Amino acid sequence: MWNGKDSILKERLYGLTGEEGNHGEDVKEHYFYLDSSPTHSYMKGLYKYPQSEYPYPDLVNTNNNRSRYESEYEIHDTGIFDKSRYFDVYAEYSKGSDNDILIRLKIVNQGPDSAHIHIIPTLLYRNTWAWGREGEGYWDRPTIEGKDDHLLCLEHDNLGKFHFAAREATEWIFTNNETNNEKLFSSLNHTPYTKDAFHRYIIGGEEKCINFLKTGTKVGALVKRQVEAGDSFTLDYRLWMDGEDVDIDSPFGDFEDIFQKRILETDEYYNKILTNISADQYNIARQAFAGLLWTKQYYNYSIKEWLEGDPSFPKPSENREDVRNSEWKHLHNRDIISMPDKWEYPWYASWDLAFHMIPFTYIDPYFAKSQLVLFLREWYMHPNGMIPAYEYNFSDVNPPVHAWAVWKVYKMNGKTDINFLHRCFLKLILNFTWWVNMKDLNGNNIFSGGFLGLDNISIFDRSHTNGLQQADATSWVAFFCSNMLNISMELAKHFPAIEDIASKFFEHYVAIVDSMNSFEGTGLWNEEDGFYYDQLKNDRTSFPLRIRSMVGLIPICAVNLLKRNVIDNLPGFKKRMNWYIENREDLHQSMSYLLPDKDENSPKCKYLLAIPTEERLRRVLHYMLDEDEFLSEFGIRSLSKYYEDNPYTFNGDSVHYIPGESDTGMFGGNSNWRGPIWFPVNTLIIESLRKYYRYFGDRFQVECPTHSGNYMNLLDISKEISSRLVKMFEPDKDGRRPAHGRVQQFSNDENWKELLLFYEYFDGDTGEGLGASHQTGWTALISHLIINNTHDHKISTACSNVH
């Protein structure tokens, strides 16, 4: 796009780098993922394009001049959307078949005056030919040729022959998708037609940069319009493979019918999934699913090839072998992957992805299972058993939640795909062994792991601190072990030999939990405070870091229920478990250890396995449900609000409660675990409370909120926390959604008020969305909470009639 005023074409989303932003990198645009069927047979997105000159220098300079104690300067703060002086640019896609894609662009002038716009829909081939490599993925240069002012012909060695048609007569502009080496590197270009040609032609008036022979690997359909206030225009295109049932002489004959059919199918699909909820919750969940689907991305990274360098380019420096990720030479990723946020995090993060798969299971269980299997395959998982963390450093350690996701997806899918469960289990054993060998360095079942995804939660960078015994790391491994126990007991129904492995995970879980609570006295439990803490340990003593944070809440998530009727059908496991019951009665003193909820002879009897005893659980919940500590109006905070006025100090450093964006540069300064609300850990807490309820029932009640005099059971508390999270996205009596913060358009403008953004994390006091603005990955868990607050939901193994 070009509004006739910007200095550059609007070819991609604009944002600040980590050095430019006062809180790290951040996209400075307004765009929304409105809809998508699971198969992408229908998709709809929206971009709001200002009619005034885009304020690039203002965004850079103002953010640069702000301190970390100030909020970010956002695109709406510039006033560029005042008086609605912008275009709404809608992009819709529909499929006639897998290889027949219909495209509709609708441009609406929302402003009070007539305005000019250039639209340049662009078709290009990814450059696979310029690197000097051969083999799969490195095909020869393809071609796009103009046949007339309505039709293009495309040919590719691997993809075959395609056609691209425009409904109206079009000015095609051709170039190649190749770098302008002369401009960037002062070296020779491989072609006179380079990828920046459209900017040079449209804005700079350079006619020689366009190939008027109408051939290339990148083509634009140049459209110029003067649009009156309130008016709109529509552009239709179609891309189809040669041989599809499309009339090349009349490719738009069935265009409207296909579009309407796909929209109807998509509506029918979501109407089956999203039942018994309010209209607004329906909108929230549907846009969450849309964002989840739009945030899939093709990802191609071969470490070995990157280390070698490409034959057509200068040889990389010799020290490239020593940079991070060089020990991952086996890693060869070339897949469609669910990403956290395609702008800020355009690479996978393994623990994020595990959470993505829960909402994905409602809409595309096949994709959810295939992603979980993929990350355990040989070209992802390290030979030593480690799952790659993320591109910045594959060797960073993320919380081990993959087994939880596998077990959860299996159960949500009706416990029908035993092959999926078995495949994942065999590889997860390798990953569990890696954790035990690498992160329990002293062999005492007390684990470390570094920052573990919680970035700046501690008083120092936990990834570079020796002698740290971590309450969350130990709890995460117990959580991992608990899920492996569940999986192995399920598999043992079909493969009796796995009973032995189930016994191994049962005993390992007990050993970890025993150490968590009683190693060298009270383990990582602090009896005086009634909370779990990290500890710094030297040769003579251990020192608890008495910071009440999410680190001390993770232990309540490693809870499990073993059912008597399942145990009775596993005689080997039952015999070993009974030995523990008879010979390790001492464990009752420090943990919830094989406590039956009723007569042990009843087939409905359930045994509780959990890190805290009942009394310790009550003490932890006392903090967690206190609105002056963890419980916010909008969910569970990552750090107690107590530290707002009482910062924790150690060796001259301090931690204080910061409900919004971080005031430090730790981990880039673009995330904050010292107060905000995060969906993934809140979801685990909610799930754990429901497990405790299935054991304790109504006899276990605590004040919620603490000091309120209002007693609730754990199921109702889980629903209360879930409702507070959902509340961030729901409009209040004034039409304001807390997640949108101070942006007035979202509450008082009809063209904004139904639009939603799914942020990375949320202000612990106000619920305002912060961090990456399109992290529909794990924040799509909002759809899971909405559905589960209504009813327990199982996924049909049959996907609907969406094409």
Side-chain angles (χ1 to χ4, degrees):
M1 291 163 280
W2 188 48
N3 57 16
K5 299 173 184 176
D6 289 348
S7 58
I8 57 175
L9 289 182
K10 179 60 66 175
E11 288 190 275
R12 54 182 55 83
L13 297 168
Y14 173 77
L16 303 185
T17 66
E19 295 298 319
E20 292 173 325
N22 61 323
H23 294 289
E25 66 267 22
D26 189 52
V27 69
K28 302 298 183 185
E29 303 270 17
H30 275 310
Y31 59 104
F32 305 88
Y33 302 129
L34 300 181
D35 208 356
S36 180
S37 72
T39 60
H40 306 276
S41 61
Y42 176 72
M43 299 176 73
K44 186 176 184 179
L46 168 64
Y47 174 71
K48 291 185 177 286
Y49 185 37
Q51 294 170 359
S52 300
E53 183 177 359
Y54 211 86
Y56 297 113
D58 184 25
L59 288 165
V60 173
N61 296 332
T62 304
N63 276 287
N64 260 323
N65 291 330
R66 289 192 176 188
S67 72
R68 294 192 187 277
Y69 300 98
E70 298 174 273
S71 62
E72 294 178 349
Y73 185 61
E74 303 289 7
I75 182 64
H76 47 260
D77 295 323
T78 68
I80 201 164
F81 291 103
D82 291 353
K83 298 183 180 179
S84 298
R85 295 184 185 278
Y86 64 87
F87 293 101
D88 270 338
V89 182
Y90 293 93
E92 288 183 275
Y93 300 86
S94 182
K95 290 184 181 179
S97 69
D98 287 351
N99 291 305
D100 178 18
I101 302 174
L102 290 66
I103 305 156
R104 169 162 287 169
L105 305 178
K106 182 179 180 181
I107 294 86
V108 185
N109 180 0
Q110 299 290 7
D113 302 312
S114 176
H116 184 79
I117 189 170
H118 287 55
I119 296 289
I120 313 100
T122 303
L123 188 69
L124 58 89
Y125 280 106
R126 178 172 171 266
N127 190 328
T128 60
W129 57 87
W131 315 106
R133 290 185 174 273
E134 297 180 351
E136 187 179 32
Y138 296 101
W139 295 285
D140 290 340
R141 182 186 302 193
T143 60
I144 306 175
E145 292 185 354
K147 295 301 181 182
D148 55 41
D149 55 8
H150 288 272
L151 188 66
L152 303 173
C153 183
L154 303 81
E155 291 203 48
H156 186 280
D157 284 351
N158 181 254
L159 298 175
K161 184 176 181 180
F162 276 77
H163 306 281
F164 185 81
R167 185 189 290 270
E168 64 179 55
T170 299
E171 178 187 352
W172 303 113
I173 51 176
F174 287 82
T175 187
N176 286 315
N177 187 26
E178 298 194 31
T179 299
N180 189 336
N181 294 318
E182 183 177 324
K183 180 177 181 179
L184 292 179
F185 311 117
S186 299
S187 60
L188 292 176
N189 284 327
H190 299 297
T191 170
Y193 310 112
T194 57
K195 64 169 65 176
D196 60 343
F198 296 170
H199 164 83
R200 292 158 56 200
Y201 177 68
I202 295 169
I203 296 179
E206 292 183 46
E207 292 198 354
K208 291 184 178 180
C209 64
I210 296 297
N211 188 348
F212 288 98
L213 295 177
K214 296 186 177 181
T215 184
T217 53
K218 178 179 178 180
V219 60
L222 179 57
V223 178
K224 307 171 188 178
R225 288 284 194 280
Q226 187 73 27
V227 190
E228 298 304 313
D231 280 356
S232 65
F233 67 96
T234 300
L235 301 170
D236 291 340
Y237 303 94
R238 190 165 188 168
L239 173 69
W240 73 97
M241 191 175 192
D242 195 47
E244 291 287 325
D245 186 19
V246 179
D247 184 350
I248 196 167
D249 295 319
S250 181
F252 297 95
D254 56 355
F255 194 89
E256 296 296 335
D257 290 342
I258 292 173
F259 248 105
Q260 291 308 311
K261 184 178 182 181
R262 298 297 174 250
I263 291 171
L264 178 63
E265 289 171 345
T266 305
D267 287 342
E268 289 177 347
Y269 188 86
Y270 284 113
N271 290 343
K272 291 178 182 178
I273 296 170
L274 301 171
T275 60
N276 302 317
I277 58 177
S278 69
D280 201 72
Q281 289 182 344
Y282 181 96
N283 179 47
I284 295 167
R286 187 149 174 183
Q287 286 192 52
F289 285 137
L292 195 65
L293 288 157
W294 272 81
T295 310
K296 290 179 182 178
Q297 184 162 286
Y298 173 74
Y299 184 80
N300 188 189
Y301 190 16
S302 168
I303 297 290
K304 181 176 179 294
E305 292 178 3
W306 182 79
L307 291 171
E308 293 171 349
D310 295 305
S312 293
F313 291 84
K315 187 176 181 181
S317 62
E318 293 182 2
N319 65 358
R320 181 177 281 198
E321 284 282 344
D322 301 323
V323 301
R324 61 176 180 264
N325 292 338
S326 59
E327 68 275 24
W328 288 78
K329 293 184 177 67
H330 74 287
L331 187 137
H332 189 103
N333 299 166
R334 188 166 166 259
D335 297 283
I336 302 293
I337 298 176
S338 177
M339 300 295 176
D341 177 317
K342 282 200 294 189
W343 190 89
E344 192 156 329
Y345 301 106
W347 30 256
Y348 61 78
S350 59
W351 88 297
D352 293 57
L353 181 132
F355 288 103
H356 300 184
M357 294 307 111
I358 307 311
F360 251 121
T361 302
Y362 290 104
I363 54 175
D364 192 349
Y366 176 82
F367 180 77
K369 289 185 286 187
S370 66
Q371 291 277 282
L372 291 169
V373 169
L374 180 66
F375 275 69
L376 300 174
R377 294 307 305 264
E378 306 78 64
W379 51 93
Y380 281 77
M381 176 183 274
H382 197 280
N384 65 17
M386 187 180 188
I387 295 174
Y390 40 72
E391 180 182 308
Y392 178 79
N393 189 351
F394 288 122
S395 294
D396 267 353
V397 183
N398 281 176
V401 292
H402 209 86
W404 166 79
V406 167
W407 177 238
K408 184 83 173 172
V409 168
Y410 172 76
K411 290 194 299 177
M412 291 174 69
N413 217 4
K415 292 187 175 182
T416 56
D417 194 345
I418 198 70
N419 183 58
F420 158 73
L421 194 67
H422 197 191
R423 288 181 72 190
C424 291
F425 179 70
L426 295 175
K427 288 296 189 69
L428 285 166
I429 290 174
L430 301 179
N431 185 234
F432 184 83
T433 304
W434 178 87
W435 271 92
V436 172
N437 289 341
M438 300 300 293
K439 297 304 172 182
D440 177 17
L441 299 181
N442 297 315
N444 54 24
N445 291 309
I446 297 291
F447 289 80
S448 59
F451 79 102
L452 283 174
L454 307 188
D455 295 6
N456 65 337
I457 200 164
S458 187
I459 200 163
F460 39 63
D461 183 350
R462 297 192 300 169
S463 295
H464 298 94
T465 304
N466 295 323
L468 187 63
Q469 299 177 326
Q470 294 181 221
D472 57 337
T474 306
S475 302
W476 281 125
V477 179
F479 178 75
F480 189 179
C481 199
S482 173
N483 283 289
M484 292 296 279
L485 172 59
N486 287 331
I487 296 171
S488 56
M489 291 180 72
E490 178 74 9
L491 289 173
K493 299 175 187 177
H494 305 268
F495 311 101
I498 293 182
E499 276 191 65
D500 295 351
I501 304 178
S503 292
K504 173 264 186 303
F505 283 115
F506 165 71
E507 295 183 24
H508 209 141
Y509 175 88
V510 171
I512 294 169
V513 175
D514 186 28
S515 291
M516 178 84 177
N517 286 298
S518 59
F519 180 71
E520 294 184 346
T522 60
L524 303 180
W525 172 259
N526 186 279
E527 181 61 27
E528 180 182 350
D529 293 357
F531 207 73
Y532 290 98
Y533 296 127
D534 285 350
Q535 290 188 1
L536 269 177
K537 183 176 175 60
N538 58 32
D539 294 337
R540 297 183 299 277
T541 185
S542 295
F543 181 83
L545 298 171
R546 295 168 69 175
I547 309 170
R548 290 192 295 278
S549 73
M550 188 58 67
V551 165
L553 296 182
I554 296 298
I556 71 173
C557 297
V559 56
N560 204 350
L561 295 175
L562 303 185
K563 297 179 181 179
R564 179 78 193 199
N565 59 347
V566 175
I567 294 170
D568 285 343
N569 290 318
L570 303 175
F573 178 85
K574 179 179 179 180
K575 181 178 179 180
R576 186 65 179 164
M577 190 190 84
N578 286 339
W579 183 94
Y580 255 74
I581 292 174
E582 295 168 4
N583 292 276
R584 292 299 309 274
E585 291 187 358
D586 58 300
L587 294 171
H588 289 295
Q589 300 171 14
S590 61
M591 63 177 283
S592 295
Y593 165 62
L594 290 176
L595 298 175
D597 67 340
K598 52 176 66 74
D599 180 1
E600 289 193 69
N601 293 318
S602 168
K604 295 183 179 180
C605 173
K606 294 186 288 291
Y607 294 95
L608 178 66
L609 287 174
I611 288 177
T613 61
E614 180 177 340
E615 186 269 337
R616 289 182 178 180
L617 177 62
R618 290 181 181 275
R619 294 184 72 183
V620 172
L621 292 179
H622 180 85
Y623 289 117
M624 190 183 86
L625 300 175
D626 188 336
E627 291 180 318
D628 292 325
E629 296 259 0
F630 287 99
L631 184 61
S632 162
E633 183 181 353
F634 304 104
I636 303 299
R637 302 177 175 106
S638 49
L639 182 77
S640 170
K641 191 176 174 66
Y642 170 82
Y643 301 104
E644 185 171 41
D645 298 320
N646 306 277
Y648 178 84
T649 303
F650 178 77
N651 280 355
D653 294 318
S654 64
V655 169
H656 54 282
Y657 172 75
I658 310 165
E661 289 158 321
S662 175
D663 63 358
T664 77
M666 190 182 295
F667 290 90
N670 64 332
S671 71
N672 183 24
W673 284 82
R674 294 184 178 180
I677 297 157
W678 293 76
F679 263 80
V681 287
N682 268 259
T683 299
L684 290 180
I685 288 170
I686 289 167
E687 180 179 288
S688 301
L689 292 175
R690 295 185 178 190
K691 285 185 182 178
Y692 282 113
Y693 174 78
R694 288 201 292 273
Y695 175 79
F696 287 114
D698 291 331
R699 79 168 180 83
F700 189 113
Q701 297 198 5
V702 293
E703 283 184 293
C704 181
T706 301
H707 308 304
S708 68
N710 180 45
Y711 283 82
M712 300 171 67
N713 65 43
L714 296 179
L715 176 61
D716 289 339
I717 290 171
S718 75
K719 290 182 177 180
E720 174 65 20
I721 296 170
S722 182
S723 295
R724 291 184 181 218
L725 290 162
V726 174
K727 182 180 176 181
M728 287 189 285
F729 293 89
E730 295 178 317
D732 61 18
K733 59 182 176 58
D734 298 318
R736 177 183 169 275
R737 302 175 195 265
H740 285 322
R742 62 189 186 277
V743 186
Q744 292 300 313
Q745 286 102 324
F746 284 114
S747 58
N748 59 26
D749 189 323
E750 291 297 324
N751 293 314
W752 293 73
K753 62 193 309 181
E754 298 301 319
L755 303 174
L756 294 160
L757 293 172
F758 298 87
Y759 287 88
E760 183 180 4
Y761 58 97
F762 300 83
D763 189 289
D765 291 342
T766 68
E768 179 181 0
L770 302 167
S773 58
H774 290 71
Q775 190 128 340
T776 325
W778 63 24
T779 303
L781 286 163
I782 185 70
S783 59
H784 173 63
L785 298 181
I786 287 172
I787 293 170
N788 269 272
N789 260 11
T790 307
H791 47 70
D792 289 332
H793 197 92
K794 285 190 172 63
I795 309 303
S796 170
T797 53
C799 288
S800 112
N801 65 339
V802 174
H803 192 90

